[in-house]
Amino acid sequence: MKEIPVLYENDEILIINKPSGVAVQGGQGILHPLDKELPLQLGYPVYLVHRLDRDTKGLMVVAKSPLAAAKWTKLIGGKLVRKEYTAVCAGTLNPKKGTLRSAVIQHGDEKTAVTHYEIVSEQKISGDGEEITLSTVKLQLETGRMHQIRIHLGKNGCPIAGDDKHGDFKMNKILKKLCGIRELQLTASRLSVPLDGKECVFEI
């Protein structure tokens, strides 16, 4: 497995850039989870304080001790850490800026879910008799349901490119041929965290 990039480190936390395809936590059939591979890379244990989907890449906070993990879990839960995502989607949303509000099913229960979005660019691509609008979308979560962004965008006719679970499988085959897109185009791209009494922003 490739080395996981570490963007920042202090006595309490690391901020890493998780690759796509890496599960955060181990389980049945998962051979190289982040919570096992990162300690091998660093030479000391780490503690999870939040998660990203296996196929989502980008910025994550990881704690270096149980005490730091408890502190940062509270900071993230209390909205003192702000996360922004960037997605490349097949299609667009109208209006170009707004909020998606619809329930998602989690473990058999219906849960409220709220996603704020803004279309920042659009580009038309064509080939093989197809014309597709690819949109770059910035997103912020008000709630943190599993696969929330993927579900909301898929339901609203703007599925994330490369999302075969909640997106458009046929469209993904076309995008793979036209653009070479082979993986989910969703990135945790911006992270604002309180450090040393001020807000620090990390962006990829």
Side-chain angles (χ1 to χ4, degrees), residues 5 8 23 70 73-74 79-80 92 102 104-105 116 118 120-122 138 159 162-163 166-167 170 173 179 192 202:
Y8 173 84
T73 299
K74 280 186 179 178
K79 314 292 185 188
L80 292 172
T92 191
S102 62
V104 299
I105 305 299
H116 305 291
E118 181 179 5
V120 293
S121 68
E122 294 177 345
K138 297 284 187 186
D163 189 351
H166 300 289
K170 184 182 174 185
K173 287 183 77 173
C179 312
S192 301
F202 298 86

Side-chain angles (χ1 to χ4, degrees), residues 159 162-175:
D163 189 351
D164 284 338
K165 184 167 185 177
H166 300 289
D168 186 326
F169 184 77
K170 184 182 174 185
M171 181 73 71
N172 289 336
K173 287 183 77 173
I174 296 168
L175 290 173

Side-chain angles (χ1 to χ4, degrees), residues 23-58:
V24 169
Q25 206 164 19
Q28 189 174 359
I30 297 173
L31 297 176
H32 300 287
L34 180 79
D35 64 350
K36 296 288 187 291
E37 293 296 324
L38 190 55
L40 291 176
Q41 175 183 320
L42 299 170
Y44 54 83
V46 297
Y47 303 85
L48 299 174
V49 297
H50 68 116
R51 287 161 176 73
L52 288 177
D53 291 347
R54 180 185 211 155
D55 296 324
T56 303
K57 53 187 172 289

Side-chain angles (χ1 to χ4, degrees), residues 27-140:
Q28 189 174 359
I30 297 173
L31 297 176
H32 300 287
L34 180 79
D35 64 350
K36 296 288 187 291
E37 293 296 324
L38 190 55
L40 291 176
Q41 175 183 320
L42 299 170
Y44 54 83
V46 297
Y47 303 85
L48 299 174
V49 297
H50 68 116
R51 287 161 176 73
L52 288 177
D53 291 347
R54 180 185 211 155
D55 296 324
T56 303
K57 53 187 172 289
L59 298 171
M60 271 188 74
V61 178
V62 182
K64 297 170 74 173
S65 70
L67 193 64
K71 173 186 171 179
W72 283 86
T73 299
K74 280 186 179 178
L75 288 172
I76 291 169
K79 314 292 185 188
L80 292 172
V81 173
R82 291 187 293 123
K83 295 174 277 184
E84 187 176 281
Y85 296 78
T86 304
V88 176
C89 300
T92 191
L93 293 163
N94 195 15
K96 303 299 183 192
K97 184 176 182 179
T99 301
L100 303 174
R101 302 174 188 271
S102 62
V104 299
I105 305 299
Q106 302 271 272
H107 309 297
D109 295 324
E110 193 172 77
K111 302 280 188 181
T112 303
V114 181
T115 306
H116 305 291
Y117 73 87
E118 181 179 5
I119 304 283
V120 293
S121 68
E122 294 177 345
Q123 179 184 354
K124 291 195 182 297
I125 59 165
S126 56
D128 291 346
E130 301 279 351
E131 185 174 83
I132 301 165
T133 299
L134 284 182
S135 302
T136 301
V137 191
K138 297 284 187 186
L139 304 120
Q140 286 186 312

Side-chain angles (χ1 to χ4, degrees), residues 2 11 13 16 29 56 65-66 77 139 155 179 181 188 199:
K2 288 182 182 176
D11 291 341
I13 60 165
I16 64 166
T56 303
S65 70
L139 304 120
K155 275 185 178 178
C179 312
I181 291 173
E199 183 181 62

